[in-house]
Amino acid sequence: MSWLLALPIIIPFITAVAAFLLRTTPWGRQVSVLGSAAALIAAIALMAAVWREGVIAAQMGQWAAPFGITLVADLLSAVMVVITAITGLAVAVYALGDITERQEHLGFHALFQVLLAGVTGAFVTGDLFNLYVWFEVMLISSFGLLVLGGSKEQIDGGVKYVLLNLVSTVLFLSGIGLIYGLTGTLNMADLAVSVPQVENQGLVTVVAMMFMVAFGVKAALFPLFFWLPASYHTPAFSVSAVFAGLLTKVGVYALMRVFTLIFIGNVAYTHTILLWVACLTMVVGVLGAAAQSDFRKILSFHIISQIGYMILGLALMTPLALAGAVFYLVHHIIVKANLFLVSGVGNRIAGGTELSRIGGLYKTAPLLGFLFLIPAFSLAGFPPLSGFWAKYILVKATLDEGMWLVAGIALAVGLLTIFSMTKIWGEAFWKPHPDGVDPRLSSLPTAHRRAMMLPIAALAVLTCIIGLFPEPFVQFAERAADQLLNPADYVRAVLGIEIGGEVAP
Amino acid sequence: MNSLILMAGSRILVALLVVFSIFMLLRGHNEPGGGFIGGLIGAVGFVIYAISCGTASAREALRLTPETIAAVGLGVALFGGLMAAFTGDAFFTGQWLFIGETEDDKGLPLSSVLVFDVGVYLVVFGSILSLVFAMEEEI
């Protein structure tokens, strides 16, 4: 059991070491792809075990909880690990065509694998301080990936990214210190037991707000999102795809974890703030996207508005809303990573991402146009694609609570998303190329074309599958939401006690 | 920097620091020390060497690039954790081998924890040196 939980973290680390030592040979990139495939198998095995047996936990080094480091997987963690592995494999394949030899020699594949290990670790850890460590692993490797190659623009984006993330880290660490002072433990399951017993509940709410701000920066919530559009359009396309898909979602996951497990004493206060932050995040993100004219910048702002939907699901805290948030997370990671991958191909064949300088993709590269439409429509919420069901569940959950205004905002934001997607469509695909170039997929070397188009097509197929057969996915999300709302299972798996203090026989 | 005093002094200092770093690494299991601190002290030795004699000769003295040392260290640390797999224990469970164990004497204790610490030593040593060398060469 313990190895099942540890393997999705161990495999990317081993792959990173091997890929780094082989970085100057053609084997380096093959190792990266193979390692990603192995990680996907391990992740699926983990999810199967969680689906069969409920929440599973393991103690690293056999130091018993709450003293050692615990790894826990409930359905939310497990599905995030699987989706990380899927994105990792897709981008590892895409990188075969996208990453230059120089970036490989600087250690792209190793950094990329360490990033995947950090993300996976954050999803399965059951300890707040360990979560901080995984955040650091992610931060260091993502900074390396951002500045890889070292153009002036990249350094500029990288510095903004790191500074704002450091602020978040410091807040997070202070929050950890305070909560340790209050309860004497950092094990999340143990915190779920001991936080309600703290006398000074006012201070607990203060600490909860510190965590909200710290994770809010990571998740790019309003008004803490500005680092994201400042940095995501600068690195290599493989890098921005994996960032867009996964990094902010770690923040969303952390919010979902602590605000369903630990800080549930003052829901009326904390979750109301989350609700309005979610609405503002949606609106500001989509308005920002409408004002941009660069392919990747529009997509970056869309990440922000989409994060709002997920936090909306968390803020409502009803079973349906949380199920919607889980469904949204899964759908969004696939779709968003795919859109960035498409923009990378567009950049290669049309010569840029600035929308006024490119065009004509529909006429001479219709396959790319088709593969762009699937994730783009899904993101905007067109039936029958995955985004429709995600939005449908969330809006229904909002209406069930009688929040007409919030539901109206969510729907209006969907409409505005379509608006900025049509902008990309009209400018990059329909308009003739301003320099009279005919962008063609056949202008790419065959090996590159295959490596880049295969993951895009695979992710698009995945989007269609989720959209056409949503039933099992919704059921899965409902079970995951059910686990989130009943932390007793989680606590029992980690500590072996029932909430209330009785030791299980 | 071309200082004769520093160059002459650094020869002794480098040797001392590297030996001391290994001492810190080995005593780390029960007393203050360990891989992280040991790696830092060892790196300081080579940083002094790089300042007094130049990064080129420091790189030559290392033989391997610092990045490779760090990557190998990560592999060694992982191996230390993976050793638990051979006995069917959880990841990172300490495995002990007591050489020359008798009734009242534990003999020489060797553990997978030490392997992990050596890995940490190499990771810290390699990554600090790659940062410092890069900065020295920029200036």
Side-chain angles (χ1 to χ4, degrees):
Chain A
M1 192 63 77
S2 110
W3 289 92
L4 208 55
L5 275 157
L7 270 180
I9 310 175
I10 300 172
I11 292 173
F13 270 128
I14 296 176
T15 315
V17 173
F20 189 83
L21 296 178
L22 297 170
R23 68 189 185 283
T24 49
T25 68
W27 287 101
R29 49 189 99 115
Q30 315 295 348
V31 163
S32 176
V33 173
L34 279 178
S36 305
L40 180 58
I41 294 168
I44 290 173
L46 173 66
M47 187 158 89
V50 178
W51 182 252
R52 260 195 330 269
E53 298 167 28
V55 185
I56 55 175
Q59 318 299 337
M60 291 301 93
Q62 292 179 355
W63 299 101
F67 306 108
I69 292 171
T70 310
L71 298 186
V72 203
D74 61 357
L75 281 174
L76 174 63
S77 299
V79 74
M80 294 306 285
V81 171
V82 170
I83 216 81
T84 304
I86 291 175
T87 318
L89 181 59
V91 174
V93 174
Y94 186 87
L96 298 178
D98 179 49
I99 293 301
T100 61
E101 211 157 273
R102 179 158 172 272
Q103 286 165 323
E104 277 184 348
H105 289 186
L106 288 169
F108 166 81
H109 293 296
L111 283 169
F112 172 65
Q113 293 291 338
V114 172
L115 179 71
L116 291 181
V119 172
T120 312
F123 289 144
V124 292
T125 186
D127 182 281
L128 270 185
F129 189 77
N130 199 233
L131 181 64
Y132 161 79
V133 172
W134 291 120
F135 272 7
E136 287 297 289
V137 171
M138 273 162 45
L139 187 65
I140 292 167
S141 50
S142 57
F143 183 63
L145 286 171
L146 261 179
V147 299
L148 206 67
S151 75
K152 202 174 166 191
E153 204 189 18
Q154 281 181 317
I155 306 270
D156 178 62
V159 167
K160 283 175 191 157
Y161 173 82
V162 161
L163 273 182
L164 285 158
N165 274 285
L166 275 181
V167 172
S168 139
T169 303
V170 168
L171 258 176
F172 183 22
L173 208 51
S174 320
I176 288 177
L178 282 172
I179 197 118
Y180 188 71
L182 282 172
T183 61
T185 181
L186 288 175
N187 185 297
M188 292 191 208
D190 204 21
L191 281 171
V193 177
S194 49
V195 161
Q197 294 162 3
V198 172
E199 255 175 54
N200 192 347
Q201 282 295 322
L203 192 55
V204 170
T205 308
V206 172
V207 177
M209 294 311 295
M210 288 176 79
F211 279 101
M212 195 190 287
V213 174
F215 295 148
V217 174
K218 298 271 177 201
L221 287 185
F222 176 86
L224 310 160
F225 60 81
F226 37 89
W227 58 271
L228 192 151
S231 56
Y232 272 25
H233 64 283
T234 56
F237 285 84
S238 312
V239 174
S240 52
V242 76
F243 280 16
L246 297 175
L247 283 195
T248 46
K249 263 47 97 203
V250 179
V252 175
Y253 167 83
L255 280 170
M256 286 174 81
R257 181 60 73 211
V258 299
F259 283 98
T260 57
L261 183 66
I262 302 172
F263 301 116
I264 44 175
N266 199 351
V267 173
Y269 182 75
T270 49
H271 287 62
T272 309
I273 295 181
L274 278 176
L275 179 67
W276 293 112
V277 164
C279 290
L280 282 167
T281 310
M282 283 193 264
V283 173
V284 173
V286 85
L287 289 181
Q292 296 300 320
S293 61
D294 180 281
F295 207 144
R296 273 203 281 187
K297 277 190 184 163
I298 293 180
L299 295 178
S300 302
F301 272 100
H302 274 161
I303 301 176
I304 299 165
S305 81
Q306 307 286 313
I307 296 286
Y309 283 97
M310 299 165 208
I311 300 302
L312 173 65
L314 168 64
L316 293 174
M317 272 294 262
T318 62
L320 189 65
L322 276 174
V326 174
F327 193 98
Y328 213 108
L329 264 171
V330 173
H331 133 80
H332 174 85
I333 292 177
I334 296 173
V335 163
K336 198 82 230 182
N338 203 5
L339 282 171
F340 272 87
L341 295 182
V342 170
S343 77
V345 178
N347 177 53
R348 279 284 285 274
I349 61 176
T353 54
E354 178 60 43
L355 288 178
S356 61
R357 302 244 184 93
I358 59 173
L361 285 168
Y362 179 67
K363 195 173 153 208
T364 44
L367 178 64
L368 187 69
F370 177 67
L371 289 174
F372 170 78
L373 273 189
I374 292 174
F377 275 1
S378 178
L379 192 78
F382 268 47
L385 294 161
S386 57
F388 168 71
W389 301 106
K391 284 205 170 81
Y392 173 75
I393 299 171
L394 276 174
V395 171
K396 178 157 190 317
T398 328
L399 291 177
D400 283 351
E401 293 291 293
M403 296 179 178
W404 300 95
L405 177 63
V406 177
I409 292 175
L411 289 173
V413 168
L415 210 62
L416 283 168
T417 311
I418 300 175
F419 166 72
S420 44
M421 279 300 167
T422 49
K423 186 155 90 180
I424 297 182
W425 182 251
E427 293 278 327
F429 288 86
W430 263 352
K431 182 188 72 179
H433 199 291
D435 301 337
V437 187
D438 282 338
R440 280 175 205 283
L441 284 174
S442 53
S443 65
L444 295 169
T446 316
H448 286 195
R449 188 169 69 233
R450 281 199 195 132
M452 291 167 95
M453 294 310 283
L454 187 71
I456 293 178
L459 291 178
V461 168
L462 216 53
T463 311
C464 292
I465 291 176
I466 298 178
L468 294 172
F469 307 100
E471 189 63 24
F473 295 94
V474 173
Q475 274 171 6
F476 182 95
E478 278 174 344
R479 246 182 91 175
D482 191 50
Q483 283 182 348
L484 286 176
L485 284 170
N486 299 302
D489 286 347
Y490 189 96
V491 174
R492 193 185 313 116
V494 177
L495 299 173
I497 58 168
E498 298 296 327
I499 285 188
E502 294 293 315
V503 177
Chain B
M1 198 191 300
N2 272 327
S3 156
L4 191 62
I5 300 172
L6 187 63
M7 277 170 77
S10 73
R11 283 191 194 147
I12 305 165
L13 273 177
V14 172
L16 263 179
L17 280 164
V18 172
V19 171
F20 183 58
S21 76
I22 293 169
F23 166 71
M24 287 301 271
L25 165 70
L26 292 177
R27 85 198 277 259
H29 191 69
N30 292 321
E31 285 169 273
F36 193 90
I37 299 173
L40 279 178
I41 296 171
V44 168
F46 276 87
V47 169
I48 291 178
Y49 192 67
I51 291 173
S52 62
C53 307
T55 49
S57 47
R59 277 184 191 277
E60 209 173 302
L62 269 179
R63 283 157 210 273
L64 292 169
T65 63
E67 291 88 352
T68 311
I69 295 177
V72 169
L74 185 63
V76 171
L78 269 173
F79 179 70
L82 288 172
M83 277 161 94
F86 300 124
T87 53
D89 288 326
F91 188 44
F92 270 131
T93 308
Q95 305 296 322
W96 290 86
L97 178 67
F98 297 100
I99 294 173
E101 189 179 18
T102 55
E103 276 293 301
D104 41 28
D105 185 28
K106 288 242 163 165
L108 177 66
L110 293 176
S111 69
S112 65
V113 184
L114 181 65
V115 177
F116 177 75
D117 249 356
V118 171
V120 173
Y121 178 99
L122 293 175
V123 170
V124 174
F125 182 80
S127 35
I128 295 287
L129 281 184
S130 57
L131 285 179
V132 172
F133 285 175
M135 279 195 260
E136 276 283 310
E137 281 156 9
E138 283 285 296
I139 302 164

